[in-house]
Amino acid sequence: MTPRHAPELLLIDDDPGTSGLLQEIFRESGYEVAIAATGAEGLRLAAARPFDAILCDVLLPDADGVQVMRRLREILPEVPVVIMTAHGTVEMAIRALDEGAFDYVSKPFAIEAVRACVARAVERRRLAPPAKAAPGEPAAAPGVRAILGSHPAMVELYKLVFRVAGTRSPVLIEGESGTGKELLARTIHEQSPRRGRPFVAVNCTSLSETLLESELFGHVRGAFTGAVERRPGLFLEANRGTIFLDEVGDMSLAMQSKLLRVLQEQEVKPVGGTETVPVDVRIVAATHRDLGALVASGRFRDDLYYRLRVVALRVPPLRERPQDIPILAQHFLRRFASLAERRVDSFSAEAMAALTAYRWPGNVRELENVVDRAVALSPGTIVQASDLPEEITHGASAPARGAAGGGRVGAAPGTGTVGSASLDEVVRRHVLGVLKSVGGNKSEAARLLGVPRRTLYRMLERYQGAPAVRAK
């Protein structure tokens, strides 16, 4: 047996202190380490030597680290690239992941965390090098953010999605209704080697047990009344692709047993048939239910639960990440304004404050519908609070499923207050929060708030108690 060579690591960073420390750490761990102080030097080394992993800083003296990473992936498409950032901004992390980074680490970092991250990258390179696309097969898709957001929990979710996409493992997506579980499943498929094959979605709640079995596994002619011809079923339709089983927690125990057999044997038996048909399908399942509790109560098979939950992804509800509301709202606004061919391009500060204060029991889907309505009703180019539904502006949110307390957030009708805070206080918190989230960049904060920069300066003078410095 040929012995494994020492893993080769390329480190691209212009900080000699960081480079020297990491070089010493990884050499002690048995790595061969090459150092480049510029993006150009890193690209030259990468073109001359087959590295097992690359650590690249995001701020380089001659280039943007993410752009360098893009070029590295062209030179060595099979080599994982880990991005390092001193700022720890989730926006940069998301951008890096979108561009194809294996992972990212924030400075100052824990040594063990960096060591573990690089070890995972090297293992990915050795055990599962991506195969070259066959003639006519689409190349790897660029990063896709199915669920927008910059909350740290969302960044961790993106990272898990990109890691698991290239595997064959079943995935269970857990989250409340309206959080975007199907979009996440589609992203997993689009990032996987199966992306050129079918993605088939089925809602397990919408069909009776008999119809669901026939829909999934197919049937032969004469299997039941009305079966006038043979039908292959969705598993065969998804062969070599991905099948998405939405609300899998609503399956009957009998259907759970049949699904378990498909997972174990990789074959299906059509209803009324006597022979099995082999299938190669990646399963992504989703549920808003607590499957662990269903297992404990005997309503869901524990063996199927563990088969489906090889990788578990949890999509946080919108109320747990209120800083993502402006990002999502602006995204939906652009989309619906374009579809309606209307020039509605921003929200007033009061409208955005109301959106941010609401608890969103219907999650992202509810926000999407509210923005669609606002675009249709807004008479001008800016969505005002009066263009929003009354339950949004008055905070009459129903208790959110699974939320502690489930109390209202927002102004009671006719009071002009939001909880114990005045509307003016809610606006102040929102404006200053948005400004903080973009690192004090007033132009970007004004864009997210949907107000002119002059208006933002006046708001800051009012809320910060001192004249705001105008950008040149």
Side-chain angles (χ1 to χ4, degrees):
M1 179 182 292
T2 304
R4 281 186 173 184
H5 67 80
E8 297 186 53
L9 175 65
L10 173 59
L11 174 60
I12 307 174
D13 195 324
D14 65 326
D15 179 0
T18 300
S19 298
L21 175 63
L22 289 175
Q23 184 180 47
E24 182 180 345
I25 288 168
F26 282 104
R27 280 182 173 171
E28 288 178 355
S29 299
Y31 289 75
E32 293 185 9
V33 183
I35 294 179
T38 65
E41 186 182 358
L43 292 170
R44 180 182 60 78
L45 289 174
R49 186 170 164 187
F51 290 95
D52 294 294
I54 300 172
L55 267 170
C56 182
D57 193 41
V58 77
L59 291 178
L60 297 169
D62 62 336
D64 178 335
V66 177
Q67 293 176 348
V68 172
M69 182 196 69
R70 192 183 302 129
R71 287 285 295 119
L72 287 168
R73 296 191 72 243
E74 292 173 3
I75 297 169
L76 298 172
E78 72 281 5
V79 177
V81 180
V82 177
I83 285 289
M84 299 183 291
T85 170
H87 305 283
T89 63
V90 290
E91 291 84 1
M92 183 57 69
I94 291 170
R95 183 182 165 211
L97 293 170
D98 277 352
E99 293 286 349
F102 172 77
D103 207 338
Y104 82 100
V105 291
S106 300
K107 300 178 183 178
F109 39 65
I111 297 303
E112 285 306 316
V114 179
R115 186 184 281 125
C117 181
V118 171
R120 287 196 306 268
V122 170
E123 196 69 7
R124 161 76 71 84
R125 170 75 177 93
R126 283 183 163 168
L127 297 182
K132 291 183 179 180
E137 185 177 328
V144 178
R145 283 189 289 160
I147 307 174
L148 297 171
S150 62
H151 188 278
M154 298 304 295
V155 176
E156 291 303 313
L157 184 62
Y158 302 142
K159 289 169 63 174
L160 283 173
V161 165
F162 289 118
R163 284 182 196 168
V164 75
T167 72
R168 298 173 55 89
S169 301
V171 178
L172 178 63
I173 305 174
E174 300 169 300
E176 295 178 6
S177 295
T179 50
K181 296 187 289 294
E182 181 172 345
L183 289 174
L184 198 63
R186 287 185 183 275
T187 299
I188 292 171
H189 174 73
E190 289 164 5
Q191 295 299 307
S192 77
R194 298 171 181 261
R195 59 190 169 276
R197 304 298 177 181
F199 174 89
V200 177
V202 57
N203 190 312
C204 299
T205 303
S206 61
L207 300 171
S208 66
E209 180 178 327
T210 302
L211 286 176
L212 182 60
E213 181 180 4
S214 172
E215 190 77 5
L216 291 178
F217 310 137
H219 60 255
V220 299
R221 182 179 178 181
F224 48 82
T225 303
V228 295
E229 61 182 5
R230 179 182 176 278
R231 182 173 180 180
L234 296 180
F235 264 89
L236 283 176
E237 184 181 324
N239 197 32
R240 299 179 66 190
T242 303
I243 192 164
F244 174 59
L245 302 177
D246 197 12
E247 298 304 347
V248 70
D250 292 338
M251 269 189 181
S252 68
L253 286 170
M255 273 303 301
Q256 292 172 32
S257 298
K258 293 169 183 175
L259 176 60
L260 178 63
R261 187 180 183 282
V262 173
L263 279 165
Q264 291 173 332
E265 307 298 332
Q266 292 292 296
E267 59 185 23
V268 296
K269 180 187 286 188
V271 176
T274 57
E275 297 182 354
T276 59
V277 183
V279 290
D280 173 16
V281 176
R282 202 253 183 94
I283 293 182
V284 179
T287 180
H288 75 274
R289 294 181 171 226
D290 183 346
L291 289 192
L294 293 180
V295 168
S297 64
R299 289 178 290 169
F300 201 88
R301 294 182 61 112
D302 58 351
D303 44 7
L304 177 59
Y305 174 65
Y306 294 118
R307 281 274 186 173
L308 292 175
R309 204 176 185 272
V310 174
V311 177
L313 303 177
R314 177 184 178 269
V315 188
L318 195 52
R319 66 178 174 275
E320 290 183 6
R321 48 188 184 105
Q323 62 266 54
D324 287 346
I325 292 172
I327 299 171
L328 288 160
Q330 198 66 40
H331 167 74
F332 292 137
L333 184 69
R334 285 193 297 267
R335 192 175 90 196
F336 289 123
S338 176
L339 289 173
E341 297 183 346
R342 297 201 57 211
R343 188 171 169 264
V344 185
D345 54 20
S346 59
F347 295 86
S348 71
E350 290 79 8
M352 187 58 76
L355 292 174
T356 306
Y358 186 64
R359 288 189 66 83
W360 299 105
N363 289 297
V364 178
R365 184 184 298 133
E366 184 183 8
L367 174 60
E368 182 179 15
N369 293 337
V370 165
V371 175
D372 189 6
R373 174 188 186 274
V375 169
L377 296 182
S378 178
T381 61
I382 299 175
V383 173
Q384 303 293 337
S386 57
D387 300 322
L388 302 176
E390 185 175 343
E391 64 267 23
I392 305 292
T393 54
H394 287 168
S397 169
R401 235 187 338 261
R408 294 190 337 177
V409 174
T415 65
T417 62
V418 180
S420 60
S422 66
L423 180 59
D424 187 64
E425 173 63 13
V426 171
V427 174
R428 185 190 74 82
R429 291 175 187 169
H430 176 66
V431 169
L432 297 181
V434 168
L435 184 65
K436 181 179 179 181
S437 73
V438 296
N441 185 323
K442 296 181 177 63
S443 296
E444 180 65 9
R447 187 186 68 79
L448 289 175
L449 289 165
V451 298
R453 282 191 296 174
R454 290 190 301 274
T455 302
L456 176 62
Y457 296 142
R458 288 196 298 270
M459 296 169 89
L460 293 177
E461 288 175 3
R462 174 181 177 186
Y463 296 139
Q464 294 180 325
V469 178
R470 266 71 168 173
K472 298 284 186 183

